[in-house]
Amino acid sequence: MTVTIIDVAREANVSPSTVSRVIADNPRISEQTKRRVREVMERLEYHPNFQARNLASKSTKTIGVIMAHSTTLAFQNPFFPEVIRGICSRAHASMYGIYLSTGGTEDEIFEEVVSMVQGRKVDGIILLYSRVNDRTMNYLKETRFPFTMVGRPYQFDDEITYVDNDNKKIAHDMVDYLYQRGHRQIAFIGGDLNFVVSTDRLEGYRQALIDAELPNSDDYFIQDQAFKEKGNKSIHELMQLAAPPTAIVAHDDLVAYEIVRYLEELSIRVPADISIVSFNNHALSAYVSPPLTSLDISIFDLGFEATKFLLEKVQNTEAPVVHHLVETNLIERESCKNIG
Amino acid sequence: MTVTIIDVAREANVSPSTVSRVIADNPRISEQTKRRVREVMERLEYHPNFQARNLASKSTKTIGVIMAHSTTLAFQNPFFPEVIRGICSRAHASMYGIYLSTGGTEDEIFEEVVSMVQGRKVDGIILLYSRVNDRTMNYLKETRFPFTMVGRPYQFDDEITYVDNDNKKIAHDMVDYLYQRGHRQIAFIGGDLNFVVSTDRLEGYRQALIDAELPNSDDYFIQDQAFKEKGNKSIHELMQLAAPPTAIVAHDDLVAYEIVRYLEELSIRVPADISIVSFNNHALSAYVSPPLTSLDISIFDLGFEATKFLLEKVQNTEAPVVHHLVETNLIERESCKNIG
DNA sequence: CTGAAAGCGCTTACAG
DNA sequence: CTGAAAGCGCTTACAG
């Protein structure tokens, strides 16, 4: 039924080995036989069997992509399609395919990664998140399996290749940006502190307050979980402080949209009464009301570069550890007001 | 280095065949030996080699997911993560993995599908789109390779299993909804007519106008391409008609957001001056201003069901052709006004 | 209930 | 420049 290397060999009057070498474009085969064999391959509509190739050559030409546990960052968030687009773009250029993790819970994801690694399903893995004390990451590190991360690892920094934004710095810059526009009471609505991206941004925010000698009360910081559970209440409380903030930094545009809505309920207008700035610059942030000032974090590049460095590792086990920071770009729209 | 079935066999004092049967949980093996073999597998940290298994058993336990050519529907659109979530959920339940297409252009995608099929990379394929005269779909149909589609195929309806919304009906219903609220001049901003979803919705819209004996001028229909190229101009023209619409149906929420913005530029308020309703109900549609009345099309279910039917096909070549319509649900928010 | 043997479709030293 | 042979790590009739 299926045409194999043997059929091609017979038809072209060469050995299977030669056909195999033609497929790999081995330079030791004469152009003449190459041409002849290729002709036969075309005529018989021969396509190499992926599985057989992988088994014999001990490589798979595919990379595994692991998303964070789905209730958190991954879904409903435009980050995902965009980072995948970056990954696919780079992978495709090197003829690599993408194998996607499908697990729901953290344990399922871990099991899937183990079976990807042990079962030789993929040549390398990209972790699309960085979590504090992540079992999956520790496993990959210990087995010395090629992997890269989108996001700075919590520890073992010097052993792990990753791609990230400079989250501490961009959060610091964001506060400075507000400071320059006259803001002195600056609140921060953070992300899930189990993810390093969230702790980094929080740290950058805090450091910026210290550096600018601004009030640094815990009242100005709202945790992800508190916000998720009772967002309107927490915003309510925030605005009822003796010195309510004049500006809010949100961990993500989705969070910013929600804040705007809760403020609306309180008849507080953005940016007239309070300014909001945010990170990640979703495609829709130009369309919300008011259009959101947000930091573009180059999601495509995060995926692209993570893949690039992974492929280097796959092709060369001795490839050096790389920490690559991707550029960001503040998109100023209408959610922030100068009160200087 | 890697521990194989042979190592396990030796250690457990059985033959490799027996180990293989234990892996497959073959009922002909005694519970006692199963237990013994499993113990050894655990102790040696044995994991079956995926490639070898696939090669020998001629199945891959993975399904290929093909997105539309990326400039069009697929990216920046929350449809993608959500449909993937549905696919992963169902696939994971049957221990299937996901192989994602990475191609950029239509030709690249086609080549990738051919190599997935011929190279036996996957057991079946899900097409995440339905396009008019699609080479990839024709290829799958002709090779009789198991596949399902998210979206009604352009032709060969009776040979192809697909999952879809009833796009003609929901577009018809949308017009009826506006009609009941007093609207008589109803415009439609459509999607890319190369996709069946767009032609179906357009047809439903047109039929509804006819059924309700409403004005059915071409001036009330704006094509996707015209809108993309000069959206503000086309909305401008629309509103300067002798009888401008009192309501607009948008093909997608993203389009609706853009329309709202262009209307704003013209100082036309939604819903005070004009109503807007839309399809797909993105997660953010609650946050835009005004919150958008939109039809939830159950994206997760589309992915889930497409996968379910695909797996049935994979497991049974004789599985009947199925056309499954997924429920929709109108989410009423504040972009539509009753002018009756 | 279990084993010996052939085979899945390739790749890759080794030999010439 | 090309071929014969072994091997990648499994599965699966077949035989007992």
Side-chain angles (χ1 to χ4, degrees):
Chain A
M1 185 63 221
T2 39
V3 16
T4 74
I5 216 170
I6 310 258
D7 303 316
V8 176
R10 191 186 308 122
E11 199 75 9
N13 280 315
V14 292
S15 73
S17 333
T18 300
V19 176
S20 174
R21 290 193 184 101
V22 173
I23 294 170
D25 202 14
N26 187 315
R28 292 189 314 195
I29 303 292
S30 74
E31 279 307 318
Q32 198 187 337
T33 34
K34 274 188 186 171
R35 218 173 302 124
R36 184 153 43 97
V37 170
R38 283 190 183 128
E39 215 165 76
V40 174
M41 296 200 309
E42 199 132 322
R43 184 152 49 80
L44 301 188
E45 294 184 34
Y46 168 78
H47 284 262
N49 181 305
F50 192 63
Q51 316 289 350
R53 250 189 128 166
N54 291 345
L55 181 58
S57 69
K58 289 173 165 283
S59 93
T60 66
K61 285 278 181 181
T62 106
I63 66 189
V65 174
I66 316 299
M67 295 176 276
H69 174 194
S70 59
T71 58
T72 51
L73 279 181
F75 289 112
Q76 289 292 19
N77 191 317
F79 181 84
F80 178 64
E82 188 64 5
V83 77
I84 290 280
R85 204 166 64 84
I87 291 170
C88 284
S89 168
R90 186 63 191 79
H92 188 261
S94 296
M95 314 271 274
Y96 271 72
I98 302 295
Y99 194 88
L100 211 60
S101 75
T102 65
T105 70
E106 231 180 297
D107 284 345
E108 285 173 352
I109 289 171
F110 178 74
E111 285 308 326
E112 244 185 314
V113 168
V114 171
S115 94
M116 278 190 196
V117 170
Q118 300 290 344
R120 310 285 148 181
K121 287 188 196 181
V122 298
D123 293 343
I125 281 181
I126 297 177
L127 248 39
L128 285 190
Y129 64 90
S130 171
R131 186 199 298 275
V132 176
N133 285 329
D134 183 40
R135 191 154 69 119
T136 301
M137 191 208 79
N138 288 333
Y139 171 79
L140 289 172
K141 193 176 78 65
E142 271 156 32
T143 55
R144 307 184 63 81
F145 193 77
F147 79 105
T148 60
M149 300 176 63
V150 174
R152 184 177 72 82
Y154 177 58
Q155 46 182 358
F156 313 117
D157 199 291
D158 51 335
E159 302 173 49
I160 295 173
T161 290
Y162 67 82
V163 168
D164 201 358
N165 303 296
D166 192 344
N167 281 306
K168 288 181 195 170
K169 178 170 182 300
I170 64 181
H172 196 298
D173 289 351
M174 204 63 120
V175 173
D176 294 347
Y177 175 84
L178 293 168
Y179 186 92
Q180 283 159 24
R181 275 150 194 77
H183 295 280
R184 296 296 178 266
Q185 285 96 257
I186 301 173
F188 184 63
I189 318 296
D192 184 341
L193 290 178
N194 289 305
F195 291 97
V196 176
V197 55
S198 306
T199 59
D200 277 359
R201 288 183 184 170
L202 176 58
E203 193 180 321
Y205 159 76
R206 286 225 161 108
Q207 191 58 47
L209 296 188
I210 293 169
D211 291 350
E213 297 177 358
L214 293 182
N216 185 2
S217 151
D218 271 353
D219 294 338
Y220 280 177
F221 170 59
I222 298 178
Q223 288 226 28
D224 158 78
Q225 207 171 346
F227 187 75
K228 269 191 198 129
E229 281 166 13
K230 44 184 181 72
N232 54 353
K233 185 153 165 276
S234 57
I235 295 297
H236 208 118
E237 286 170 9
L238 186 65
M239 299 312 294
Q240 289 195 318
L241 292 176
T246 64
I248 297 179
V249 179
H251 176 264
D252 180 275
D253 288 7
L254 295 180
V255 171
Y257 305 154
E258 237 182 297
I259 297 170
V260 169
R261 204 171 51 156
Y262 297 141
L263 290 170
E264 244 169 35
E265 290 171 7
L266 301 171
S267 302
I268 298 173
R269 293 157 307 160
V270 180
D273 303 325
I274 189 167
S275 291
I276 296 191
V277 295
S278 166
F279 299 101
N280 300 359
N281 188 39
H282 295 170
L284 300 183
S285 297
Y287 299 111
V288 291
S289 171
L292 205 62
T293 290
S294 183
L295 190 79
D296 189 319
I297 59 169
S298 307
I299 298 172
F300 180 95
D301 293 342
L302 288 170
F304 190 94
E305 297 294 328
T307 309
K308 186 180 102 186
F309 293 122
L310 178 63
L311 291 180
E312 283 175 10
K313 281 206 144 182
V314 165
Q315 275 141 29
N316 168 21
T317 327
E318 303 303 311
V321 170
V322 177
H323 300 163
H324 181 82
L325 294 178
V326 165
E327 287 301 301
T328 58
N329 187 15
L330 186 69
I331 310 296
E332 295 185 273
R333 297 199 185 88
E334 298 163 32
S335 62
C336 181
K337 184 179 152 196
N338 196 327
I339 63 172
Chain B
M1 184 66 221
T2 37
V3 16
T4 75
I5 216 171
I6 309 259
D7 304 315
V8 176
R10 191 186 308 123
E11 198 76 8
N13 281 316
V14 292
S15 73
S17 331
T18 300
V19 177
S20 174
R21 291 196 183 98
V22 173
I23 295 170
D25 203 15
N26 187 316
R28 294 190 313 192
I29 303 291
S30 75
E31 278 308 319
Q32 196 186 340
T33 36
K34 274 188 188 173
R35 219 173 302 126
R36 184 153 43 96
V37 171
R38 281 188 185 130
E39 218 164 74
V40 174
M41 296 200 307
E42 200 132 322
R43 184 151 50 79
L44 301 187
E45 294 184 33
Y46 168 78
H47 284 263
N49 181 305
F50 191 63
Q51 316 290 347
R53 249 192 128 164
N54 291 344
L55 182 59
S57 68
K58 289 171 165 288
S59 92
T60 65
K61 285 276 180 185
T62 106
I63 65 188
V65 174
I66 316 298
M67 295 175 276
H69 175 195
S70 58
T71 59
T72 51
L73 278 182
F75 290 110
Q76 289 292 22
N77 191 317
F79 181 84
F80 178 64
E82 187 65 6
V83 78
I84 291 281
R85 203 166 65 84
I87 291 171
C88 284
S89 168
R90 186 62 191 79
H92 188 261
S94 294
M95 313 270 276
Y96 271 72
I98 301 295
Y99 193 89
L100 210 61
S101 74
T102 65
T105 70
E106 230 180 298
D107 285 344
E108 284 172 354
I109 290 170
F110 177 74
E111 284 309 325
E112 244 184 314
V113 167
V114 171
S115 93
M116 279 189 194
V117 170
Q118 300 289 344
R120 310 285 148 181
K121 287 188 196 180
V122 299
D123 293 344
I125 281 181
I126 298 178
L127 248 37
L128 284 191
Y129 64 89
S130 171
R131 185 200 298 277
V132 175
N133 284 329
D134 183 40
R135 192 154 68 116
T136 302
M137 190 208 82
N138 289 332
Y139 171 78
L140 289 171
K141 192 177 78 65
E142 270 155 34
T143 56
R144 307 185 63 81
F145 194 77
F147 78 104
T148 60
M149 300 176 64
V150 173
R152 183 177 73 81
Y154 176 59
Q155 45 181 357
F156 312 118
D157 199 292
D158 51 334
E159 303 173 47
I160 295 174
T161 289
Y162 67 82
V163 168
D164 203 358
N165 303 295
D166 193 343
N167 281 307
K168 288 180 195 169
K169 177 170 183 302
I170 63 181
H172 196 296
D173 288 352
M174 204 62 120
V175 172
D176 293 347
Y177 174 84
L178 293 168
Y179 186 91
Q180 282 159 23
R181 275 148 194 79
H183 295 280
R184 295 299 178 264
Q185 285 96 257
I186 301 172
F188 183 63
I189 318 294
D192 183 341
L193 290 178
N194 289 304
F195 291 98
V196 176
V197 55
S198 306
T199 59
D200 277 359
R201 288 183 184 169
L202 175 58
E203 193 180 321
Y205 159 75
R206 286 225 162 109
Q207 190 59 49
L209 295 188
I210 293 170
D211 290 351
E213 296 177 0
L214 293 182
N216 185 2
S217 151
D218 272 352
D219 295 337
Y220 280 176
F221 169 59
I222 298 178
Q223 288 227 26
D224 157 78
Q225 206 171 346
F227 187 75
K228 269 189 198 129
E229 282 166 14
K230 43 183 183 72
N232 54 353
K233 184 153 167 275
S234 58
I235 295 298
H236 208 116
E237 286 170 9
L238 186 64
M239 299 312 293
Q240 290 194 318
L241 292 176
T246 63
I248 296 178
V249 180
H251 176 263
D252 180 275
D253 288 8
L254 296 179
V255 171
Y257 304 155
E258 237 182 298
I259 297 170
V260 170
R261 206 172 50 156
Y262 298 142
L263 290 170
E264 244 168 33
E265 291 170 6
L266 301 171
S267 303
I268 298 173
R269 293 158 306 161
V270 180
D273 303 326
I274 189 167
S275 292
I276 295 191
V277 296
S278 167
F279 299 100
N280 299 359
N281 189 37
H282 295 171
L284 301 182
S285 297
Y287 299 110
V288 291
S289 169
L292 206 63
T293 289
S294 182
L295 190 79
D296 190 318
I297 59 170
S298 307
I299 298 171
F300 180 94
D301 293 341
L302 288 170
F304 189 94
E305 297 293 328
T307 310
K308 187 180 103 186
F309 293 121
L310 178 63
L311 292 180
E312 284 175 9
K313 281 206 143 181
V314 166
Q315 276 142 29
N316 168 20
T317 327
E318 303 303 310
V321 169
V322 177
H323 300 164
H324 180 82
L325 294 178
V326 164
E327 286 302 301
T328 58
N329 187 16
L330 187 68
I331 310 297
E332 296 185 273
R333 297 200 184 88
E334 297 162 34
S335 62
C336 180
K337 185 178 149 196
N338 198 326
I339 64 172

